[in-house]
């Protein structure tokens, strides 16, 4: 065992050695160690380099607030995580860890030149740099910073782990399992109430784990702790360790992240790595305790300089002496007890340096009995040591003057600037804080949530006070639920209470301009940076924060915010509450993307909707494309065919014989009721009153602003029944819009709306042989021009299945859409396929559908329109029922801007050189004009295969309807393409092909 | 995630069941053709951006499907009340936030 491991101390199991690697070197620790405690037990303080200056750094804390000791952890391929706090990561046999921000090695780092170039990186560096010539940034600064800086390295492989996600409910949620949390949970553990106690640490107990000297109810603290945990379990309290309350959302919804396997040597089967709990609690008790503040002085970041309370934790919880000859510098009583514990464990404490001149006699006696030198009324002005502290420079302070320095040798320096309540989650609730001038800290005040805060989290110090307050707050939570609770308060002996004073940066006899007195370790922000920010005009703490980046690192200023505020407030000459505290935001500690994503990854990222015919398409080699949430067959390539070849073949087959297409994704809404026709008249632009039963019509839907929202063919299946179709992506939106008008504007109409998209499978047959193929299978209607003309619909039987048959065309050929009950879709498809073999039936996908419709100038809403296109712009003024007194969009169409000249209008484009245009390409009238040119429209649809023998395009062009035959220009990166404006119908303008 | 009381279902349910639907108490003019361009633009586009109590519409989309109205404090995100579409705007002084 190394000289830093103290036998008989700590809660680790030294009989179970565990080894891991740090930067490739094998390190021996024990079961229960964290990476940090094991490294410290081996005398290693240097754990990383800082973000900006690459200064050598060691662990300054022992918990999740640690800003310095960030490491990469690896467990085989794919399992690498950067920025893990070494103070939290438990070790296991074979764990690989690496330090960060170093090149080429941790001990010798070339980036440390940044430290020498300190002036260059001072406050506002980024803002000022951006004002220099751009080339300077591109060529000099950015490459240099990118190469040298950054927090850790992103993993590149796919994460092989799974992350679970759960919803949960409880009556009382207690966050933090220190004395206050334990007492609150005990008080709340009333018969019939569901109580959950969570703690981010590997074991429950909080500060009790670091204070074994306390005696509670006559038992040593740790004995009391284990019996109390057993009692809580027996009372039905669910205790969740390694579970961090990352966020407090509205109405007592707490995000909890439970880490399940990062501490295990062997990954359990079928267990997620982490589990995100959405815990809805009726009452919440926040018992998160307090965080110790560093003192701000030159060299307070050297490895070996750490918080006194953390040194006490390393000793009492992990059996580690952070140094054999430590010194202490403090402004609070608590560090004295840390010094005593280290001395009692065998350390030779060099001195206790206290900024206060008056010290409690009890503490002075304790130092004297241990032979520890006391320097009261002293300041610390510097440290020495390249990769680890070897001495501290201290000076007496007399009547405001800093006296002559003295150097004290030490191998660790314990510091304490007092304690600040952990207010992060309270702050998430939009809780108001109150400034406490005596204790120089913010305390929780009012919160709109059903939440109470107990113990050190509201400024109460000592185990006895925390237990009493926790019990009271637990009781209060129970009473808020209408129940009563009796909470016994345990008696405490050997408690450690105390007081202290708060400082801005410590006084110094050295030039303050040269001092590197760190406030935010992780972002390398010094006291000098904060003062510079104030000098340069930053008045509010929010501005100071952004200008200096103080508190903006991954630790969210857990240690730096109050020190930063004290210094900024001093520089501004205003009280702290007038300067303000920055807002804490979720998550409390860095959280993996995996935890947030949960099951929503890969194939489960989003729902994939498939039609009943999708399986046939998959079996027959379809290439798919996503269309909103649907997966649709895009084209059906035969062996060796490219997409263009397949689409050309599908187009030709449909135009010459018959094509079959799965149109099941079309949105479908059943509009039924005595007022159905009136409702349709009000919703759609078209007139519906005179549409006969068994006839259908193209319907155009506008918003009340007059712009096209959706379209589709609508069949009148009965006097009071309409079969409405919508675009594939628009179905839900259209139904929502219809419901909105029906429920809130026209509640007098007796109409029922039902989504029927998934009730029907819809198959489209198009081509000159479509009627011949289908007729023998249809019962109930003759498929002749007379009995069933274009734009007819009927309920009939197709291949023995109940069907709604539509004669419609989205291709310009004779077309039918057969709707059958959804589960019969594939059966109908296969029947039609077999019957169509004699005609060489060809399956086509969405690409061919797009080409065929574009050749006929049929628009696709959302592609040829963009939410600013009117029916007239789209060349569809014919769809407006002008005689109707009102419909949605009618008044909008009369707005001056919608009737003005020069609107962008839909036209056809044929390129002069026969090349294919790019969809989205911008259009100009005069290609010779200077750049930036005036853009007058864009290409909305463009295809180069098809029937017309040349590429065709649709485009929106300013005043396009009056520019037929004119030439426009499409500038591309390599050349400018000229194109002639034409009408939008490129194929069979007489509609001769629609006739049977 | 908010909890929202549907006045039609009579139950308080998670926000994921609901869809926000803009400011409440904006009636479509009875006879749109009779209103001026300015009035129509006002109806179409102008909305309050309230810091405090906001009257707004929600739809119980994945439940009963009904649109209803709510008064919500945009600072605290607390609902003061929810009520059926068509019911009058409740007076502010009768409302308190979640009993607090
Ligand atoms: Zn409802």
């Amino acid at each position: 065992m190394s000289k830093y491991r103290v036998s008989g101390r700590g809660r680790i199991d030294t009989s179970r050695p565990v080894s891991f690697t740090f930067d490739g070197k094998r390190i021996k620790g024990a079961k229960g160690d964290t990476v940090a405690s094991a490294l410290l037990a081996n005398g290693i303080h240097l754990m990383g380099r800082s973000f900006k200056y690459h200064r050598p750094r060691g662990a300054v804390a022992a918990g999740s607030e640690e800003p310095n000791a960030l490491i990469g952890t690896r467990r085989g391929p794919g399992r690498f995580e950067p920025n893990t706090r070494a103070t939290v990561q438990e070790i296991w046999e074979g764990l690989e860890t690496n330090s960060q921000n170093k090149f080429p090695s941790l001990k010798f780092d070339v980036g440390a030149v940044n430290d020498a170039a300190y002036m260059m990186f001072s406050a506002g560096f980024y803002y000022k740099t951006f004002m220099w010539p751009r080339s300077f940034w591109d060529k000099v600064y950015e490459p240099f910073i990118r190469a040298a800086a950054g927090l850790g390295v992103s993993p590149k492989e796919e994460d092989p782990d799974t992350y679970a996600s759960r919803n949960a409910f409880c009556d009382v949620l207690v966050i933090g399992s220190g004395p206050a949390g334990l007492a609150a949970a005990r008080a709340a553990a009333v018969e019939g109430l569901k109580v959950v106690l969570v703690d981010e640490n590997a074991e429950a107990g909080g500060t009790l784990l670091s204070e074994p000297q306390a005696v509670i109810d006559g038992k040593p603290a740790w004995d009391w702790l284990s019996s109390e945990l057993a009692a809580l379990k027996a009372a039905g309290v669910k205790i969740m360790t390694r579970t961090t309350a990352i966020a407090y959302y509205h109405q007592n919804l707490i995000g909890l992240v439970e880490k399940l396997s990062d501490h295990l040597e062997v990954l359990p089967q079928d267990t997620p790595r982490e589990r995100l709990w959405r815990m809805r609690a009726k009452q919440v008790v926040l018992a998160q305790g307090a965080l110790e503040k560093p003192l701000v002085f030159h060299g307070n970041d050297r490895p070996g300089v750490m918080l006194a309370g953390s040194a006490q934790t390393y000793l009492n919880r992990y059996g580690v002496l952070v140094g054999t000859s430590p010194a202490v510098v403090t402004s609070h009583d608590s560090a004295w007890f840390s010094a005593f514990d280290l001395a009692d464990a065998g350390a030779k404490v060099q001195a206790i340096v206290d900024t206060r001149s008056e010290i409690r006699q009890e503490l002075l006696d304790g130092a004297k009995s241990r032979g520890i030198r006391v320097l009261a009324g002293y300041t610390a002005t510097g440290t020495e040591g390249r990769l680890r502290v070897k001495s501290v420079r201290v000076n007496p302070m007399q009547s405001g003057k800093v006296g002559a320095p003295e150097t004290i040798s030490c191998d660790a320096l314990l510091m304490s600037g007092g304690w600040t309540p952990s207010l992060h989650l309270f702050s998430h609730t939009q809780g108001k804080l109150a400034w406490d001038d005596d204790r120089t800290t913010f305390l929780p005040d009012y919160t709109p949530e059903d939440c109470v805060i107990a113990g050190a989290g509201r400024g109460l110090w000592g185990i006895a006070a925390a237990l009493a307050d926790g019990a009271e707050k637990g009781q209060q939570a129970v009473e808020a639920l209408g129940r009563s609770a009796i909470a016994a308060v345990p008696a405490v002996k050997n408690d450690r209470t105390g007081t202290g004073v708060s400082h801005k940066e410590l006084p110094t006899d050295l030039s303050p301009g040269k001092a590197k007195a760190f406030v935010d370790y992780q972002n390398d922000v010094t006291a000098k940076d904060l003062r510079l920010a104030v000098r340069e005009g930053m008045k509010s703490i929010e501005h100071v924060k952004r200008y200096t980046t103080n508190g903006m690192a991954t630790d969210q200023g857990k240690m730096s915010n109050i020190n930063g505020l004290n210094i900024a407030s001093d520089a501004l000459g205003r009280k702290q509450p007038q300067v303000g505290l920055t807002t804490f935001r979720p998550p409390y500690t860095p959280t993996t993307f995996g935890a947030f994503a949960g099951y929503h990854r890969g194939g489960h990222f989003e729902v994939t909707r498939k039609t009943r015919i999708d399986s046939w398409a998959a079996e027959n080699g379809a290439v798919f494309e996503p269309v909103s949430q649907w997966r649709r067959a895009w084209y059906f390539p035969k062996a060796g065919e490219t997409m263009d070849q397949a689409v050309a073949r599908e187009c030709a087959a449909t135009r010459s014989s018959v094509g079959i297409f799965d149109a099941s994704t079309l949105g479908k809404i059943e509009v039924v009721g005595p007022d159905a026709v009136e409702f349709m008249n009000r919703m759609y632009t078209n007139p519906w009153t005179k549409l006969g039963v068994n006839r259908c019509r193209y319907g155009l839907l506008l918003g009340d602003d007059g712009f096209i929202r959706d379209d589709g063919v609508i069949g009148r299946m009965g006097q009071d029944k309409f079969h409405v179709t919508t675009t594939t992506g628009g179905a839900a939106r259209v139904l929502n819009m219809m419901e909105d008008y029906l429920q809130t504007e026209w509640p007098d109409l007796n109409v029922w709306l039902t989504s029927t998209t998934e009730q029907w499978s819809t198959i489209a047959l198009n081509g000159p042989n479509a009627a011949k193929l289908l007729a023998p299978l249809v019962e109930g209607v003759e498929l002749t021009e007379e009995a069933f003309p274009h734009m007819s619909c009927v309920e009939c039987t197709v291949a023995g299945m109940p069907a709604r048959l539509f004669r419609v065309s989205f291709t310009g050929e004779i077309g039918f859409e057969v709707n059958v009950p959804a589960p019969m879709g594939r059966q109908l498809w296969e029947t039609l396929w077999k019957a169509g073999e004699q005609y060489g039936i060809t399956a086509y996908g969405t690409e061919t559908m797009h080409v065929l419709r574009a050749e006929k100038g049929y628009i696709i809403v959302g592609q040829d329109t963009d939410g600013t296109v009117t029916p007239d712009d789209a060349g569809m003024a014919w769809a407006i029922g002008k005689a109707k007194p009102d419909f949605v969009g009618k008044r909008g169409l009369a707005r001056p801007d919608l009737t003005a000249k020069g609107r962008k209008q839909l036209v056809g484009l044929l390129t002069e050189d026969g090349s294919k245009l790019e969809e989205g390409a911008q259009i100009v009238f005069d290609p010779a004009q200077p750049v930036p040119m005036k853009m007058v429209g864009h290409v909305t649809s463009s295809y180069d295969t098809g029937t017309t023998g040349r590429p065709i395009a649709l485009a929106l062009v300013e005043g396009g309807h009056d520019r037929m035959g004119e030439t426009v220009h499409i500038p591309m990166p390599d050349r400018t393409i000229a194109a002639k404006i034409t009408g939008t119908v490129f194929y069979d303008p007489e509609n001769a092909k629609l006739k049977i | 995630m908010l909890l929202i009381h549907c006045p039609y279902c009579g139950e308080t349910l998670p926000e994921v069941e609901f869809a926000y639907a803009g400011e409440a108490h904006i009636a479509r003019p009875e006879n749109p053709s009779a209103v001026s361009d300015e009035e129509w633009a006002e109806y179409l586009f102008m909305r309050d951006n309230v810091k405090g109590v906001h009257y707004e519409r929600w739809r119980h989309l994945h439940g009963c499907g009904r649109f209803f109205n709510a008064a919500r404090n945009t600072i605290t995100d607390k609902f003061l009340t929810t009520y059926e579409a068509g019911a009058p705007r409740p007076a502010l002084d009768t409302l308190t936030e979640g009993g607090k």
Side-chain angles (χ1 to χ4, degrees), chain A residues 36-113:
Chain A
S37 71
L39 289 172
L40 292 170
N42 286 276
I44 300 168
H45 273 265
L46 177 62
M47 296 185 196
R49 292 247 170 198
S50 71
F51 174 54
K52 204 157 72 175
Y53 301 128
H54 286 224
R55 286 171 68 91
R57 291 280 169 80
V60 66
S64 69
E65 73 274 31
E66 172 60 36
N68 283 341
L70 302 184
I71 53 169
T73 52
R74 182 178 291 283
R75 181 202 291 272
R79 291 192 165 93
F80 172 77
E81 185 152 298
N83 305 326
T84 306
R85 284 145 295 158
T87 52
V88 171
Q89 175 66 49
E90 297 164 65
I91 60 167
W92 41 267
E93 191 66 38
L95 168 70
E96 293 171 45
T97 69
N98 283 92
S99 61
Q100 299 185 159
N101 299 344
K102 66 350 158 128
F103 178 80
S105 78
L106 184 55
K107 288 188 179 167
F108 175 77
D109 176 87
V110 294
V113 68

Side-chain angles (χ1 to χ4, degrees), chain B residues 6 8-9 60 63-65:
Chain B
C6 173
Y8 293 97
C9 294
H60 193 187
C64 64

